[in-house]
Amino acid sequence: ETGQQRRSHGHPLFRLPSPRKNNPSSFLTCSMIPPALRRQYIYRARHSFVPHQNHKQPTNQLQSRSRNERSRSIFLFEFPERSSGLMATAGKVIKCKAAVAWEAGKPLSIEEVEVAPPQAMEVRVKILYTALCHTDVYFWEAKGQTPVFPRILGHEAGGIVESVGEGVTELVPGDHVLPVFTGECKDCAHCKSEESNLCDLLRINVDRGVMIGDGQSRFTISGKPIFHFVGTSTFSEYTVIHVGCLAKINPSAPLDKVCVLSCGISTGLGATLNVAKPKKGSTVAIFGLGAVGLAAMEGAKMAGASRIIGVDLNPAKYEQAKKFGCTDFVNPMDHTKPVQEVLVEM
Ligand SMILES: NC(=O)c1ccc[n+]([C@@H]2O[C@H](COP(=O)([O-])OP(=O)(O)OC[C@H]3O[C@@H](n4cnc5c(N)ncnc54)[C@H](O)[C@@H]3O)[C@@H](O)[C@H]2O)c1
Ligand SMILES: [Zn+2]
Ligand SMILES: [Zn+2]
């Protein structure tokens, strides 16, 4: 159980307490947010940031304190173990807790796992926060897929570099990072292109359960290998990730909030702003109002769409979606004809 369980409560995959109220738009600066959008996020952070008294951080890793009690928007994170505690484990196997999926569709069980040191071009990360994306559920159910079990799922997370393997020059222990399942080698035609990010080396591979460098897993339980998931496996207190699948972020960004940039927010915002590219004043319909849909909605609002129709089977989603710019809501269950026909007539 690590950090923000934003989308986990109630699902059989996890049985955890309800998440506290979280406003995913209250980010501080983050190097992953393009400068044009950053201003908006900073603006939002100033108006909606949760005061630090409610801001739970594991006390032995991070201490947060408000620099200015009045503004509530500026937080300083300190990392006291930067050069001592965490580095002491470099080069050694770490034993820690992880949520292991032994079989498709069976509840995860918390196990003690051994995490091997990072090899060439790899980084071992201490995961402080991990969220649950529907893609984890999909590969946990593993319906109609090549089953890869036992496996440690999880890909939407935030953590701190514990140690780095040979050849890693861009990250050092103590850096704050977000894992990304579609990495960048920075060298292939896709990485050099502005049109694609489907890296030849590090593009998502849902069937591979091992590290790309040597074809081995870095996780074991009593010597038995446990497979990785999309190169991230963040349902573990420590994980090993290829350096190209980590984005270094500003250490003042609160990891429990920016962890959702690691998948849901970037997926949704990117789908709207980089792919659909709606024109100012246009009408947009978004199907499914989870983290991805709400981020897509926020993108539509940023792009200046004047009408944003949210479509979801769950009527309770409308209230939340209004905060992200939803002007109209359609529940397909309220109609007898196909929902696309309902939308065309609106
Ligand atoms: N990079 C990627 O390609 C990428 C990244 C993240 C998530 N995903 C996928 O995006 C989807 C959404 O992910 P999420 O984490 O936001 O999920 P989520 O479970 O948080 O939200 C899904 C929403 O869709 C609604 N819904 C389900 N069936 C529907 C239907 N038939 N019509 C309308 N609404 C329906 C649900 O009520 C829910 O509100 C998942 O399929 C996930 O696997 C893809
Ligand atoms: Zn995801
Ligand atoms: Zn590449």
Side-chain angles (χ1 to χ4, degrees):
E1 179 187 339
T2 43
Q4 188 66 35
Q5 293 100 26
R6 176 169 54 84
R7 283 173 280 160
S8 63
H9 66 124
H11 196 279
L13 178 59
F14 283 105
R15 302 218 183 269
L16 295 171
S18 295
R20 68 193 159 82
K21 286 218 172 346
N22 179 33
N23 177 357
S25 59
S26 52
F27 302 129
L28 294 185
T29 49
C30 166
S31 61
M32 279 183 74
I33 304 175
L37 304 185
R38 206 173 288 162
R39 276 193 303 278
Q40 182 159 352
Y41 278 104
I42 294 168
Y43 174 83
R44 277 163 182 270
R46 288 206 178 115
H47 288 79
S48 61
F49 197 69
V50 184
H52 76 113
Q53 287 89 341
N54 299 334
H55 188 81
K56 288 182 197 148
Q57 294 280 344
T59 46
N60 61 339
Q61 275 82 46
L62 287 169
Q63 292 175 345
S64 67
R65 63 184 164 90
S66 173
R67 270 179 165 169
N68 178 343
E69 289 298 329
R70 272 197 206 157
S71 91
R72 285 182 169 183
S73 63
I74 304 166
F75 288 80
L76 178 67
F77 289 87
E78 291 169 344
F79 188 52
E81 296 185 40
R82 196 177 188 109
S83 57
S84 54
L86 292 179
M87 282 301 282
T89 49
K92 298 179 186 157
V93 170
I94 291 180
K95 284 190 178 180
C96 67
K97 294 269 191 289
V100 177
W102 289 101
E103 279 179 70
K106 294 274 161 59
L108 308 187
S109 74
I110 305 296
E111 308 280 358
E112 186 174 84
V113 296
E114 298 108 32
V115 186
Q119 301 303 303
M121 302 311 284
E122 295 172 3
V123 177
R124 192 160 57 183
V125 178
K126 181 174 176 64
I127 297 294
L128 295 187
Y129 295 96
T130 183
L132 176 64
C133 169
H134 211 109
T135 303
D136 297 307
V137 178
Y138 182 72
F139 287 97
W140 165 72
E141 288 175 332
K143 288 179 185 155
Q145 301 162 22
T146 316
V148 184
F149 294 97
R151 193 172 213 186
I152 297 175
L153 297 161
H155 61 282
E156 188 174 273
I160 296 175
V161 172
E162 175 269 338
S163 62
V164 301
E166 200 189 319
V168 173
T169 53
E170 48 209 274
L171 290 172
V172 295
D175 280 345
H176 289 208
V177 288
L178 303 182
V180 280
F181 53 79
T182 289
E184 286 182 21
C185 74
K186 296 186 176 164
D187 208 31
C188 74
H190 291 282
C191 285
K192 286 179 176 160
S193 157
E194 289 189 357
E195 302 301 320
S196 159
N197 66 345
L198 296 174
C199 175
D200 281 341
L201 183 70
L202 299 172
R203 76 172 64 168
I204 186 167
N205 182 327
V206 296
D207 295 330
R208 186 177 55 230
V210 292
M211 296 307 290
I212 213 161
D214 62 1
Q216 304 288 311
S217 171
R218 301 284 170 262
F219 298 111
T220 48
I221 294 181
S222 309
K224 180 179 157 48
I226 308 294
F227 292 117
H228 294 247
F229 175 62
V230 295
T232 55
S233 290
T234 60
F235 294 166
S236 177
E237 290 175 318
Y238 286 87
T239 187
V240 177
I241 299 177
H242 192 285
V243 64
C245 293
L246 287 168
K248 180 173 162 175
I249 61 163
N250 185 329
S252 64
L255 282 168
D256 67 330
K257 296 193 169 50
V258 298
C259 68
V260 292
L261 281 168
S262 170
C263 176
I265 305 299
S266 21
T267 300
L269 265 183
T272 309
L273 298 177
N274 299 332
V275 183
K277 298 180 183 165
K279 297 271 183 298
K280 205 169 185 320
S282 57
T283 298
V284 173
I286 293 165
F287 292 73
L289 306 179
V292 174
L294 293 176
M297 191 166 272
E298 179 137 28
K301 196 169 72 173
M302 286 174 183
S306 57
R307 198 170 182 202
I308 303 175
I309 306 167
V311 182
D312 203 294
L313 300 174
N314 179 354
K317 296 279 176 164
Y318 187 26
E319 274 310 304
Q320 196 180 21
K322 281 182 191 166
K323 296 179 198 153
F324 291 82
C326 191
T327 58
D328 301 78
F329 180 77
V330 173
N331 184 347
M333 304 301 272
D334 296 340
H335 302 271
T336 46
K337 54 183 158 184
V339 69
Q340 64 273 25
E341 288 177 23
V342 177
L343 295 176
V344 167
E345 285 166 15
M346 282 176 76

